Amino acid sequence: RDTVRRIGVSLAEELGTRPARAFSDGPIDRVGSILNSAPATIRDNVLNGLDDEDSDFAEQVRKAIFTFANIKDRVSPRDIPKIQQATDQADLIVATAFATGADASSLDFVLGNISQRLADSIRTEAAEKGKISTADGEAAMMRVVNVIRDLESKGEIFLVADAED
């Protein structure tokens, strides 16, 4: 009985000396969080590199990230007015002037789910802006994404599960 107690005390001391985990999230969420904040070119390069090394891990990371291009697939149309109200209109204007490809599809989705008058006003002001630098365009889109993440973390909106799941 004394031996069992000593073993128990020894194990308890051993567990007490283990360092705390540095990260509470797993590697997929950590990489996803980092890539959420990275410029699109860096994010794409990292994901392409991950594809070469471990395509399963790369696919899991893709599902963990949320970028401007994901808005059309992951945000409910009924939440767009709330997102628009919480977003600085200047960011929507710059994003509109800058967006191409999948980003433009998400922007069309956003503008299609707010009042037509406001959408037309944003498009007109974006056209007047002319060419937007990559840094300014990506920064504006990141601020829009951050508004969405903030509203989601507060429980004011809910992201739709990734359709590929």
Side-chain angles (χ1 to χ4, degrees), residues 20 26 32 37-38 47 49 54 58-59 63 77 88 92 96 101 103 119 131-132 140 149 155:
S37 301
L47 288 170
D54 186 343
E59 187 57 33
K63 291 179 180 181
D88 185 343
L92 286 175
T96 301
D103 292 332
K131 184 154 175 56
I132 302 294
R149 284 192 199 123

Side-chain angles (χ1 to χ4, degrees), residues 13-122:
E13 287 174 357
E14 172 105 11
L15 289 173
T17 61
R18 287 190 180 175
R21 288 185 63 178
F23 301 101
S24 59
D25 296 334
I28 293 165
D29 290 333
R30 288 195 313 262
V31 172
S33 292
I34 292 167
L35 293 181
N36 275 331
S37 301
T41 53
I42 291 173
R43 183 175 49 249
D44 292 342
N45 287 339
V46 169
L47 288 170
N48 289 337
L50 284 174
D51 276 333
D52 295 341
E53 296 295 321
D54 186 343
S55 61
D56 290 337
F57 181 74
E59 187 57 33
Q60 290 175 330
V61 170
R62 277 189 177 84
K63 291 179 180 181
I65 63 176
F66 179 79
T67 64
F68 197 88
N70 300 122
I71 292 173
K72 68 185 179 307
D73 299 320
R74 304 274 317 273
V75 174
S76 171
R78 72 177 179 276
D79 289 331
I80 295 298
K82 188 177 289 187
I83 292 165
Q84 179 270 316
Q85 290 172 355
T87 302
D88 185 343
Q89 188 165 325
D91 287 333
L92 286 175
I93 292 167
V94 171
T96 301
F98 179 75
T100 60
D103 292 332
S105 295
S106 282
L107 196 59
D108 290 341
F109 172 77
V110 169
L111 295 178
N113 285 289
I114 60 175
S115 79
Q116 189 62 46
R117 185 172 156 205
L118 179 58
D120 289 344
S121 172
I122 290 171

Side-chain angles (χ1 to χ4, degrees), residues 127-142:
E128 292 169 0
K129 283 255 181 227
K131 184 154 175 56
I132 302 294
S133 73
T134 300
D136 290 345
E138 287 187 351
M141 288 191 295
M142 181 61 71

